[in-house]
Amino acid sequence: MKLLICFGTRPEAIKMAPVCLELAKQNIPFKLCVTAQHREMLDQVLHFFSLTPDFDLNIMQPNQSLNVLSSKILLEMDAIFKKESFDMVLVHGDTTTSALVALAAFHCHIKVAHIEAGLRTYNKQSPFPEELNRQLTGRISDYHFAPTQQAKNNLLNEGVNENKVVVTGNSVIDALKITLEKIKHGYTNTFIENLKSNINFKNNIILVTGHRRESFGVGFENVCEAILEISKQKGVEIVYPVHLNPNVQGVVYEKLSNVENIHLIPPLNYPSFVWLMSQSNLIISDSGGIQEEAPSLNIPVLVTRNTTEREEGIKAQCSFLVGTDTKKIIDTVKQIMGKSKTKKLSNPYGSGDAAIKIVNYIKNNLFD
Ligand code: UD1
Ligand code: UDP
């Protein structure tokens, strides 16, 4: 069985790293391909987890369009599959890399296993284009690693064979545990030390991120208005690592620069971001991964989206769907900050053993 692991963006790298590490630990051979749909944001994750790609397609362009990105992935993956024969490709999640690598593999009669399978909003426009990317990847895939029972149920309702679906938890929790353990044992870096020097962590820390395409324009403007208003509250520090997408950078720097307690910073490398999350009181974000990580740190997340495929967190009251409505964001922040910290909830997205479950399944069922 010749295995290829393929990913391209920051969150895929974070979530696939524990799987790569577990395969290596169990001496299961595999090759690693990165499309580099992201560049800097991907490289810092590879560096932190000491992963060296065997193939690096290096395709990222500034402000890339989805069609150009997609066509490059198909072309480049075709060349890889012609150069070297693989029996199975492991892809992750809902990015353009996931869907197009899966399609390229299918065209070359290579089996596909999908990690973080089965999440759904059933709304093609939200998240855009991720909902369709995930559905396409699911249709193509031969094996499905679902993070939760709900994700498995979605797949079964779509007619996927139950024997091909395994519930594993989300490997983002594995990555988080590895990283928190390192921090506990003294890991630090210049970014963490700079944050400690420049921000008053005795205040209430609100961490913000955002990058969803469906919120570009008015949605992002509304969220920025809300952040500006929230920054007027006493004893609050807002820390916002701004995603490198120019559609995000433009509006955020225009609306939120030069406010004393709003700290606009470049995206943080993963361990620094984990450290910052652990110091935060509240997170405002449209991120998928952060919705999954925050419950492990007992930090509430306001989800600035109209839909989420991570409903488990909403049901467990770990996260709150607020959309991009300025007033709703401000009111919900006030409500949550006014409450004393709730008792620790268990994380519906897993407990940190997803990679072992995935690798054991591969070893026991897919190798002769
Ligand atoms: C992508 C994924 C999204 C995922 C997100 C995680 C798609 C369509 N989108 O969105 O599902 O949630 O990553 O962050 O697959 N850029 C850089 N350097 C980087 C990364 C991005 O400069 O390291 C800039 C470039 O100008 C690039 C742009 O951001 O063209 C957009 O990158 P792209 O991957 O197309 O979209 P994201 O918004 O990052
Ligand atoms: N993250 C990071 N640095 C940052 C912001 C986020 O390392 O400045 C991590 C975060 O811990 C999470 C992942 O990136 O694991 C989420 O990525 P993103 O929000 O870009 O994508 P999504 O999860 O929405 O696909």
Side-chain angles (χ1 to χ4, degrees):
M1 163 76 72
K2 277 194 76 181
L3 268 185
L4 180 69
I5 295 205
C6 194
F7 53 78
T9 66
R10 170 176 68 190
E12 290 165 82
I14 292 168
K15 292 168 169 183
M16 284 294 228
V19 178
C20 295
L21 297 180
E22 187 61 30
L23 284 166
K25 192 172 158 194
Q26 297 202 28
N27 289 318
I28 299 174
F30 69 97
K31 287 208 170 167
L32 176 59
C33 171
V34 295
T35 62
Q37 173 179 335
H38 283 175
R39 191 68 273 175
E40 311 89 296
M41 286 163 60
L42 170 77
D43 290 343
Q44 51 89 12
V45 184
L46 296 174
H47 175 74
F48 179 66
F49 288 103
S50 305
L51 298 175
T52 310
D54 299 285
F55 308 97
D56 186 333
L57 310 185
N58 197 26
I59 58 178
M60 194 197 84
Q61 292 295 317
N63 209 6
Q64 56 207 359
S65 83
L66 295 175
N67 284 332
V68 172
L69 178 64
S70 301
S71 52
K72 279 191 190 166
I73 295 171
L74 277 181
L75 273 174
E76 297 284 341
M77 289 312 296
D78 195 54
I80 303 250
F81 293 145
K82 287 204 170 110
K83 207 176 337 169
E84 194 161 339
S85 64
F86 289 98
D87 302 298
M88 174 155 328
V89 181
L90 262 80
V91 297
H92 186 282
D94 60 7
T95 66
T96 297
T97 288
S98 329
L100 272 294
V101 169
L103 185 62
F106 169 72
H107 287 158
C108 295
H109 305 286
I110 299 167
K111 291 219 180 313
V112 177
H114 187 199
I115 300 181
E116 203 186 74
L119 281 66
R120 296 286 186 271
T121 62
Y122 294 108
N123 178 344
K124 278 194 290 189
Q125 302 303 328
S126 176
F128 174 88
E130 289 83 3
E131 172 65 14
L132 202 65
N133 281 344
R134 205 188 290 274
Q135 289 195 29
L136 285 171
T137 310
R139 289 306 299 231
I140 294 168
S141 294
D142 301 280
Y143 301 94
H144 311 258
F145 297 105
T148 64
Q149 185 60 41
Q150 186 174 332
K152 176 177 175 177
N153 293 345
N154 291 338
L155 291 166
L156 299 187
N157 290 337
E158 291 170 19
V160 174
N161 179 343
E162 186 162 13
N163 296 328
K164 306 287 182 192
V165 186
V166 194
V167 177
T168 60
N170 198 308
S171 55
V172 78
I173 311 300
D174 305 31
L176 181 66
K177 276 194 156 177
I178 294 168
T179 309
L180 287 170
E181 203 52 32
K182 285 195 181 180
I183 292 172
K184 198 172 119 194
H185 287 97
Y187 171 92
T188 190
N189 62 40
T190 48
F191 301 101
I192 296 177
E193 295 309 315
N194 283 343
L195 288 169
K196 284 182 189 166
S197 320
N198 296 330
I199 294 166
N200 181 359
F201 282 95
K202 289 196 183 107
N203 282 335
N204 281 321
I205 306 296
I206 301 182
L207 173 59
V208 184
T209 80
H211 67 82
R212 303 244 78 100
R213 275 178 159 77
E214 66 272 16
S215 300
F216 288 170
V218 181
F220 263 92
E221 284 169 21
N222 291 346
V223 175
C224 288
E225 295 295 337
I227 289 165
L228 205 53
E229 194 53 39
I230 292 161
S231 73
K232 294 176 188 158
Q233 290 176 25
K234 263 183 104 179
V236 161
E237 302 276 343
I238 294 170
V239 191
Y240 190 160
V242 188
H243 194 287
L244 294 180
N245 194 320
N247 301 288
V248 178
Q249 295 257 320
V251 56
V252 171
Y253 277 96
E254 188 197 311
K255 296 228 169 244
L256 300 178
S257 290
N258 303 319
V259 182
E260 207 189 339
N261 59 342
I262 301 183
H263 308 272
L264 301 182
I265 56 175
L268 283 166
N269 63 27
Y270 175 62
S272 312
F273 189 78
V274 167
W275 179 84
L276 181 57
M277 275 198 291
S278 73
Q279 305 299 310
S280 301
N281 299 82
L282 176 70
I283 303 178
I284 301 176
S285 176
D286 60 17
S287 166
I290 294 170
Q291 287 175 66
E292 294 153 350
E293 293 162 335
S296 289
L297 299 163
N298 211 22
I299 302 163
V301 183
L302 263 64
V303 183
T304 46
R305 298 173 46 178
N306 296 323
T307 60
T308 179
E309 58 289 302
R310 274 107 175 158
E311 286 179 331
E312 296 88 340
I314 306 282
K315 282 186 196 142
Q317 301 212 316
C318 303
S319 41
F320 305 85
L321 203 58
V322 291
T324 54
D325 180 290
T326 307
K327 185 171 179 317
K328 192 160 184 193
I329 297 170
I330 298 168
D331 290 348
T332 316
V333 167
K334 279 187 189 151
Q335 250 175 39
I336 293 178
M337 298 290 269
K339 276 191 203 159
S340 54
K341 224 172 170 128
T342 47
K343 66 173 172 20
K344 183 135 183 50
L345 303 163
S346 72
N347 190 330
Y349 300 108
S351 52
D353 57 359
I356 292 181
K357 286 182 179 155
I358 292 165
V359 171
N360 283 348
Y361 182 87
I362 292 172
K363 189 174 66 184
N364 298 332
N365 297 282
L366 309 182
F367 275 83
D368 302 326

